[in-house]
Amino acid sequence: MDKRTLYDSFTKLELDTDATLHQITALKKGVEELVEENAVLQIENQHLRDRLDDIEKQKRIDEEVVEPEMTKSRMNLEKLYEDGFHVCNVFYGSRRVGDEPCAFCLDVIYGERR
């Protein structure tokens, strides 16, 4: 091998090595960015899971404390009943004498609450 070919081979090898080094550096930088982003996302994910658990616990507490609301139609029947009228199918529309309680009316209003 002559000196010129040997020198050219070294130059080519040096250029190839530089190019490979630049590729490795770029890949390393990319991996570092991905690792950092992954760590941030894991922390954010944990915070979101914690927040979701808090919301679900609060929802369960609220559901236990608060009775289910009546439908609008049952609320209307309740208002009529409180105004002194029967809302049951037995005495519907008649006045409750002395505002006496009526088991049939109460069953219509408050029975089978869901």
Side-chain angles (χ1 to χ4, degrees):
M1 208 183 225
D2 68 348
K3 293 178 187 176
R4 181 136 181 95
T5 307
L6 186 61
Y7 181 76
D8 289 343
S9 295
F10 272 119
T11 305
K12 183 179 181 317
L13 182 61
E14 183 181 18
L15 292 175
D16 290 347
T17 305
D18 269 350
T20 304
L21 181 61
H22 287 297
Q23 286 178 337
I24 290 172
T25 304
L27 288 173
K28 182 180 175 186
K29 184 177 180 183
V31 168
E32 287 173 353
E33 289 172 359
L34 288 174
V35 167
E36 182 179 336
E37 182 181 2
N38 188 32
V40 168
L41 290 174
Q42 284 179 341
I43 292 169
E44 183 179 357
N45 191 12
Q46 186 59 47
H47 286 155
L48 290 173
R49 286 179 194 271
D50 293 342
R51 179 66 178 134
L52 184 60
D53 288 342
D54 291 344
I55 290 171
E56 287 176 354
K57 285 177 187 175
Q58 186 61 44
K59 185 177 178 182
R60 276 187 248 119
I61 289 171
D62 291 346
E63 287 174 353
E64 291 173 3
V65 173
V66 177
E67 295 179 7
E69 285 191 34
M70 288 192 296
T71 62
K72 189 173 182 179
S73 59
R74 286 185 188 243
M75 288 172 35
N76 288 336
L77 291 174
E78 182 182 47
K79 179 158 178 24
L80 286 171
Y81 181 78
E82 290 172 357
D83 287 341
F85 294 96
H86 283 279
V87 293
C88 61
N89 59 354
V90 179
F91 304 110
Y92 185 80
S94 62
R95 191 139 233 347
R96 292 186 300 127
V97 178
D99 287 336
E100 79 281 355
C102 175
F104 300 120
C105 291
L106 293 174
D107 186 51
V108 168
I109 298 170
Y110 302 111
E112 298 183 32
R113 282 181 86 180
R114 295 179 184 166

